[in-house]
Amino acid sequence: MSPLYQQIKKRITDSLVAGLWQPGQCIPSETELANLYKVSQGTVRKSVDELVIENILIRRQGKGTFVASHNEENSQLRFLRLTSSENKKEKLDSRLLTFEKEKANSSLAKLLGISSATTIVSIKRVLTFNQKPLILDFIKVPAASFRGLTPEKIIEKNGAMYRMYENDFGIQMLHAKEKITAIAANAETADLLRIKKNSPILSVERISFTYENKPIEWRLGLCLTEHHHYASELD
Amino acid sequence: MSPLYQQIKKRITDSLVAGLWQPGQCIPSETELANLYKVSQGTVRKSVDELVIENILIRRQGKGTFVASHNEENSQLRFLRLTSSENKKEKLDSRLLTFEKEKANSSLAKLLGISSATTIVSIKRVLTFNQKPLILDFIKVPAASFRGLTPEKIIEKNGAMYRMYENDFGIQMLHAKEKITAIAANAETADLLRIKKNSPILSVERISFTYENKPIEWRLGLCLTEHHHYASELD
DNA sequence: GAGTGGTCTAGACCACCAA
DNA sequence: TGGTGGTCTAGACCACTCA
C-alpha cells in the first residue's frame, strides 16, 4: 500500500488527465481537497508539493493553486535551453518548410511507444532569432493524437507548438529528455541554416512526455551555436 | 524575517561549511536537531527536505541522515552527463597532460569571483573510455584553495577530481552550470583525441559551485560524440 | 474581512535497520 | 528492542490577494 499522499497525488493527476481542471485555471483549495478526499490538509499539501516540484501545478499565495499552462508568458520557452551568449533580447519566429504524413519506422515507434507503421505527422521548420536562422527542427507526432493538425494552424501559431498542443488538442507537455551531440552540417542543413557545409552544429534529439510519462512527441533540433549555447544545470 | 525552517536550514548549512559533520558521516537525528535548535521535529524535517533535494544531505530510513559525499559508489560520476549511446559498460581512465600554475585572466577571474592575476592551477588531461580518448579536459582552480595539489596526486587518484577535492582539500562540489556548443576541433585537439582536424566536437564549459553558491572550479571539456551523447532532462 | 496558500506545533503511529 | 526516518492528523496563526 502506497502512502496516502501518493494516492491523493494520483487522484489529483487523474482529474487533470480527465480534464476536470483545465490548464491556467485554479483547482479547489487545499481545505476543499482535504474534505473531498477525507484526509487532512497537511496530506493534501504534501501531494500538491510534489506536483508543484514537477511543474504540473503552480501555487500563488492568496490566490490558489493553478494548473500549469504553456500559455503563461514565462513558460513560453520552458523547454528551449538554447540561449544567446550575449544575453540579447531576441525575437523568435518560425518558418514552416514541410508538413507530411508518413508511417513510423520501427525505431521511432519504439521511442513513442506506438506500433510501427502508425501514421505520423512529420514537420520540418526553421526557427529564426532576429531574422537569422538558428534552428532546423524536425518534429514527429502520432497523427491519431493530433487530428485536425494542419500547416495553416502551425503557421497561425507562429510555431508555438506546445501552446497549440494544449489549446487545440488538450495535450500537456510536461517533461522531456534530450540527447545532445555535435555533428557536421550536411548540404541541405547548411543551406537552410545559411552556413557552410560541414560546419559543426549541435544536434538535440528530444522525446517529450505528457501525463503519466507517456511519450508523445519526437523532435530533432539542429542548432547553430556561433552566438548561442545550450544551458544546463547539474546538481 | 525569513521562515523558521529557512533559518534552521542556514544553521545546518553553516555546520556543514564549518566541517562539523563530515561528508559520508551522519548528522544528528531529526529529534536531536529539534532539541538543539528549539523547534519542532516537523520544522527540522522541512529544512532537511530542502537540503536533500539539493543533494547536500541524503536520508536513509532506519539509519539516519548523511552528508553527501563524492566517495559514494553512485555519486562518482554525478556531474558527468556524457553517456554511451549503446549503454555499454565502460572503464574510465585519466591521462594527465600538463599541470601548470598561471595568473588568472580577467574573464576567468570574473567567473570564479576572484581578483585577476590570482594564481591558478591549470590542468590539461584526456579522459579515455575503454582505452579510447573521449574527452579533452581543461581545468582551472584557484591555487590558494588547493594548496598541495600536485600532478602526482592527480595521477594517484586517476582523475577523480571531485573525490580528491573532498578528501584532500575539504571542498565539496555541489552544483554546476554548463554551456554547451558545437565546435570544430583544432589541430592540437584533433591530435589528442585522435580524430581529423575540424571534426565536430562538443564543447562543454562548466562552472562548479561549493557551499553557498561559491564558484570554485572552471572546466572546459571537449567531447567526442560519435558513440556518446550528452543527456539532459527538462521539466 | 473572507479566502487562499505558507508556516509551525505536538503528538501519534508506521516502516526500516541494526544490534 | 530501540532508534531512525516516513506518514498523518488537528489545530493554530501568519502573509498575501482581492473585493
Side-chain angles (χ1 to χ4, degrees), chain A residues 220-232:
Chain A
L220 178 66
L222 304 179
C223 315
L224 295 189
T225 54
E226 281 288 318
H227 305 290
H228 294 72
H229 62 265
Y230 184 102
S232 178

Side-chain angles (χ1 to χ4, degrees), chain A residues 23-87:
Chain A
Q25 296 182 342
C26 73
I27 69 172
S29 72
E30 294 183 353
T31 42
E32 281 178 299
L33 289 174
N35 292 333
L36 177 61
Y37 299 134
K38 311 290 182 202
V39 298
S40 75
Q41 183 256 4
T43 300
V44 169
R45 180 150 256 274
K46 175 118 184 169
S47 312
V48 173
D49 273 342
E50 294 204 348
L51 292 165
V52 167
I53 288 172
E54 293 167 27
N55 287 312
I56 291 173
L57 296 177
I58 299 170
R59 284 214 183 86
R60 299 209 181 99
Q61 190 173 64
K63 292 187 176 178
T65 303
F66 295 75
V67 184
S69 165
H70 290 280
N71 289 298
E72 314 287 328
E73 196 58 41
N74 301 330
S75 62
Q76 169 68 11
L77 304 172
R78 184 172 138 194
F79 286 164
L80 185 62
R81 285 286 179 281
L82 207 68
T83 58
S84 164
S85 299
E86 290 99 21
N87 281 324

